[in-house]
Amino acid sequence: MPTSKRRQKIIPDNLPPILKEEEVVPSLFTGNKLAEKDPARYAKVVQELGEGKPLTRIAKTNKVSPATVMAIQKREVKSIDAVQSLTQGLTSYASQSCLMKIIEKLENDTIPAGVLPICFGILRDKEKNDLGQATSIVEHKKVLTIDEVQKELDGLKGEVIDITDSTV
């Protein structure tokens, strides 16, 4: 039978938790299992992250979940940065070496003028991207008509305030 008394709500806020986070949230990805079971594959994931491969491709080729790859990416920031730094240095070296070969072969007339510059352009673009520089410049030009300029000048004339003293 229903009672007229209000129920008391007891919230046990002073008790320690019984379960661990891993037991309650089974989708908590840390990369620990992969590191313990297959350290070579874990290292390969870190290497591929450093090379800049897409997360989904890394997950598919290494047969791990994308969430695991993201957890490894957050966990291994220093290692990934070291791989990227090495790659940047190698890209700069490759770009310089390619340019020297282009110059050498063009001077000896052993290649047509338009063959190796494509390779150099791609390497140079990658090098600039690694260094955080702009790889292309977009210029925006606005074309004004005489009527638009005249309208703007008329608008400026309307805003002029006469500050001359009329008593002088």
Side-chain angles (χ1 to χ4, degrees):
M1 285 186 42
T3 179
S4 59
K5 289 184 177 180
R6 294 190 65 189
R7 290 188 177 191
Q8 288 183 339
K9 292 182 183 177
I10 301 172
I11 301 171
D13 56 354
N14 60 347
L15 298 175
I18 298 172
L19 300 174
K20 296 179 182 176
E21 290 176 351
E22 291 84 10
E23 295 171 354
V24 177
V25 186
S27 62
L28 188 64
F29 294 93
T30 60
N32 283 342
K33 278 186 185 177
L34 182 63
E36 291 170 2
K37 284 184 178 179
D38 195 353
R41 194 164 39 143
Y42 183 90
K44 187 176 179 190
V45 169
V46 174
Q47 179 73 30
E48 290 178 356
L49 282 168
E51 292 171 359
K53 288 186 179 176
L55 295 177
T56 53
R57 187 179 308 157
I58 294 171
K60 188 181 281 187
T61 57
N62 293 293
K63 296 179 181 160
V64 295
S65 72
T68 301
V69 176
M70 289 178 60
I72 294 171
Q73 182 182 25
K74 289 178 183 174
R75 187 178 197 174
E76 300 291 340
V77 173
K78 289 182 181 178
S79 299
I80 293 169
D81 287 345
V83 170
Q84 288 176 344
S85 175
L86 176 66
T87 304
Q88 286 175 359
L90 292 174
T91 305
S92 294
Y93 176 75
S95 178
Q96 292 170 3
S97 178
C98 184
L99 180 59
M100 296 305 291
K101 285 283 187 189
I102 290 171
I103 292 170
E104 179 184 312
K105 291 190 180 224
L106 285 175
E107 286 175 350
N108 295 336
D109 287 332
T110 57
I111 62 163
V115 175
L116 282 180
I118 295 169
C119 177
F120 172 71
I122 293 169
L123 279 171
R124 185 73 173 152
D125 188 54
K126 179 66 176 162
E127 179 186 19
K128 283 188 169 197
N129 188 24
D130 285 346
L131 296 173
Q133 298 175 353
T135 56
S136 62
I137 298 171
V138 178
E139 185 176 334
H140 298 278
K141 290 184 177 181
K142 184 175 180 184
V143 179
L144 296 175
T145 63
I146 297 291
D147 294 334
E148 291 173 331
V149 173
Q150 189 62 43
K151 188 183 212 181
E152 186 69 26
L153 289 172
D154 290 343
L156 290 173
K157 286 180 185 175
E159 295 174 10
V160 174
I161 301 171
D162 188 16
I163 59 168
T164 58
D165 189 11
S166 61
T167 61
V168 178

